[in-house]
Coordinates of all heavy atoms in Angstrom, one line a residue:
V23 N -2.4 -3.4 -34.7 CA -1.8 -2.8 -35.9 C -0.7 -1.8 -35.4 O 0.3 -1.7 -36.0 CB -3.0 -2.0 -36.7 CG1 -2.3 -1.2 -37.8 CG2 -3.9 -3.0 -37.3
V24 N -1.1 -1.0 -34.4 CA -0.1 0.0 -33.9 C 1.2 -0.7 -33.4 O 2.3 -0.3 -33.8 CB -0.7 0.8 -32.7 CG1 0.4 1.6 -32.1 CG2 -1.8 1.7 -33.3
R25 N 1.0 -1.8 -32.7 CA 2.2 -2.5 -32.1 C 3.0 -3.1 -33.3 O 4.3 -3.0 -33.2 CB 1.7 -3.7 -31.3 CG 1.2 -3.2 -29.9 CD 1.0 -4.4 -29.0 NE 0.4 -3.9 -27.7 CZ 1.1 -3.4 -26.7 NH1 2.4 -3.3 -26.8 NH2 0.5 -3.1 -25.6
E26 N 2.4 -3.6 -34.3 CA 3.2 -4.2 -35.4 C 4.0 -3.0 -36.2 O 5.1 -3.2 -36.6 CB 2.3 -4.9 -36.4 CG 3.1 -5.7 -37.5 CD 2.3 -6.7 -38.2 OE1 1.4 -7.2 -37.7 OE2 2.7 -6.9 -39.4
L27 N 3.3 -1.9 -36.5 CA 3.8 -0.8 -37.1 C 5.0 -0.2 -36.3 O 6.0 0.2 -36.8 CB 2.8 0.3 -37.5 CG 1.9 -0.1 -38.6 CD1 0.7 0.9 -38.7 CD2 2.6 -0.3 -40.0
V28 N 4.8 -0.1 -35.0 CA 5.8 0.5 -34.1 C 7.1 -0.4 -34.2 O 8.2 0.0 -34.4 CB 5.3 0.5 -32.7 CG1 6.5 0.8 -31.7 CG2 4.3 1.6 -32.5
E29 N 6.9 -1.7 -34.2 CA 8.0 -2.7 -34.2 C 8.7 -2.5 -35.6 O 9.9 -2.6 -35.7 CB 7.6 -4.1 -34.0 CG 8.7 -5.1 -34.0 CD 8.3 -6.4 -33.4 OE1 7.4 -6.4 -32.5 OE2 8.9 -7.4 -33.7
L30 N 8.0 -2.4 -36.7 CA 8.6 -2.3 -38.0 C 9.5 -1.0 -38.1 O 10.5 -1.0 -38.7 CB 7.5 -2.2 -39.1 CG 6.8 -3.5 -39.4 CD1 5.6 -3.2 -40.3 CD2 7.7 -4.5 -40.0
I31 N 9.0 0.1 -37.4 CA 9.7 1.3 -37.4 C 11.0 1.2 -36.5 O 12.1 1.6 -37.0 CB 8.8 2.5 -37.0 CG1 7.7 2.7 -38.1 CG2 9.6 3.7 -36.8 CD1 6.7 3.7 -37.7
V32 N 10.9 0.8 -35.3 CA 12.0 0.8 -34.4 C 13.1 -0.2 -34.8 O 14.2 0.0 -34.4 CB 11.6 0.6 -32.9 CG1 10.5 1.6 -32.5 CG2 11.1 -0.8 -32.7
T33 N 12.7 -1.2 -35.5 CA 13.7 -2.2 -36.0 C 14.3 -1.8 -37.3 O 15.2 -2.5 -37.8 CB 13.0 -3.6 -36.1 OG1 12.0 -3.5 -37.1 CG2 12.6 -4.1 -34.8
G34 N 13.9 -0.6 -37.9 CA 14.4 -0.2 -39.1 C 13.8 -0.8 -40.4 O 14.3 -0.5 -41.5
Q35 N 12.9 -1.7 -40.2 CA 12.3 -2.3 -41.4 C 11.5 -1.2 -42.2 O 11.3 -1.3 -43.4 CB 11.4 -3.4 -41.1 CG 12.1 -4.6 -40.4 CD 11.2 -5.7 -39.9 OE1 10.5 -6.4 -40.8 NE2 11.1 -5.9 -38.6
L36 N 11.0 -0.2 -41.5 CA 10.5 1.0 -42.1 C 11.4 2.1 -41.7 O 11.4 2.5 -40.5 CB 9.1 1.3 -41.7 CG 8.0 0.4 -42.2 CD1 6.6 0.7 -41.5 CD2 7.9 0.7 -43.8
G37 N 12.3 2.6 -42.6 CA 13.4 3.5 -42.1 C 13.0 4.9 -42.2 O 11.9 5.3 -42.7
E38 N 13.8 5.8 -41.6 CA 13.6 7.2 -41.5 C 13.3 7.8 -42.9 O 14.1 7.5 -43.9 CB 14.8 7.9 -40.9 CG 14.7 9.4 -40.9 CD 16.0 10.1 -40.3 OE1 16.7 9.4 -39.6 OE2 16.2 11.3 -40.6
G39 N 12.3 8.6 -43.1 CA 12.0 9.2 -44.3 C 11.2 8.3 -45.3 O 10.6 8.8 -46.3
Q40 N 11.1 7.0 -44.9 CA 10.3 6.1 -45.8 C 8.8 6.4 -45.7 O 8.3 6.7 -44.6 CB 10.6 4.7 -45.4 CG 10.1 3.6 -46.5 CD 10.6 2.2 -46.1 OE1 11.5 2.1 -45.4 NE2 9.9 1.3 -46.6
L41 N 8.1 6.2 -46.8 CA 6.6 6.4 -46.8 C 6.0 5.2 -46.4 O 6.3 4.1 -46.8 CB 6.1 6.9 -48.1 CG 6.5 8.3 -48.5 CD1 6.1 8.5 -50.0 CD2 5.8 9.3 -47.7
L42 N 4.9 5.3 -45.5 CA 4.1 4.1 -45.2 C 3.2 3.8 -46.4 O 2.9 4.8 -47.1 CB 3.2 4.4 -44.0 CG 3.6 3.9 -42.6 CD1 4.9 4.6 -42.2 CD2 2.6 4.2 -41.6
P43 N 2.9 2.6 -46.6 CA 2.0 2.2 -47.7 C 0.7 3.0 -47.5 O 0.3 3.3 -46.4 CB 1.8 0.7 -47.6 CG 3.0 0.3 -46.9 CD 3.3 1.4 -46.0
P44 N -0.1 3.2 -48.6 CA -1.4 3.9 -48.5 C -2.3 3.1 -47.7 O -2.1 1.9 -47.3 CB -1.9 3.9 -50.0 CG -0.6 3.9 -50.8 CD 0.3 2.9 -50.0
E45 N -3.5 3.7 -47.3 CA -4.5 3.0 -46.5 C -5.0 1.7 -47.0 O -5.2 0.7 -46.3 CB -5.7 4.0 -46.2 CG -5.4 5.1 -45.3 CD -6.7 6.0 -45.1 OE1 -7.7 5.6 -45.6 OE2 -6.6 7.0 -44.4
G46 N -5.2 1.7 -48.4 CA -5.7 0.5 -49.0 C -4.9 -0.7 -48.7 O -5.3 -1.8 -48.2
P47 N -3.6 -0.7 -49.2 CA -2.7 -1.8 -48.9 C -2.5 -2.2 -47.5 O -2.5 -3.3 -47.1 CB -1.4 -1.4 -49.6 CG -1.8 -0.4 -50.6 CD -3.0 0.3 -50.0
L48 N -2.4 -1.1 -46.6 CA -2.3 -1.4 -45.2 C -3.6 -2.2 -44.6 O -3.5 -3.1 -43.8 CB -2.1 -0.2 -44.4 CG -0.7 0.5 -44.5 CD1 -0.6 1.8 -43.7 CD2 0.3 -0.6 -43.9
S49 N -4.7 -1.7 -45.1 CA -6.0 -2.3 -44.7 C -6.1 -3.8 -45.1 O -6.5 -4.6 -44.3 CB -7.2 -1.5 -45.3 OG -8.4 -2.2 -45.0
E50 N -5.6 -4.0 -46.3 CA -5.6 -5.4 -46.8 C -4.6 -6.2 -46.1 O -4.9 -7.4 -45.7 CB -5.3 -5.4 -48.3 CG -5.4 -6.8 -49.0 CD -5.1 -6.7 -50.4 OE1 -5.2 -5.6 -51.0 OE2 -4.9 -7.7 -51.0
H51 N -3.4 -5.7 -45.8 CA -2.4 -6.5 -45.2 C -2.7 -6.9 -43.7 O -2.6 -8.0 -43.3 CB -1.1 -5.6 -45.1 CG 0.0 -6.2 -44.2 ND1 0.8 -7.2 -44.7 CD2 0.4 -5.9 -42.9 CE1 1.7 -7.6 -43.7 NE2 1.5 -6.8 -42.7
F52 N -3.3 -5.9 -43.0 CA -3.7 -6.2 -41.6 C -5.1 -6.9 -41.4 O -5.5 -7.3 -40.4 CB -3.7 -5.0 -40.7 CG -2.3 -4.5 -40.5 CD1 -1.8 -3.3 -41.1 CD2 -1.4 -5.2 -39.7 CE1 -0.5 -2.8 -40.9 CE2 -0.1 -4.7 -39.5 CZ 0.3 -3.5 -40.0

Side-chain angles (χ1 to χ4, degrees):
V23 172
V24 168
R25 288 189 183 278
E26 184 167 336
L27 288 172
V28 168
E29 186 163 331
L30 289 172
I31 291 172
V32 303
T33 58
Q35 296 177 68
L36 286 171
E38 177 184 338
Q40 188 172 344
L41 289 172
L42 263 62
E45 285 181 6
L48 283 176
S49 174
E50 185 176 344
H51 172 77
F52 289 111

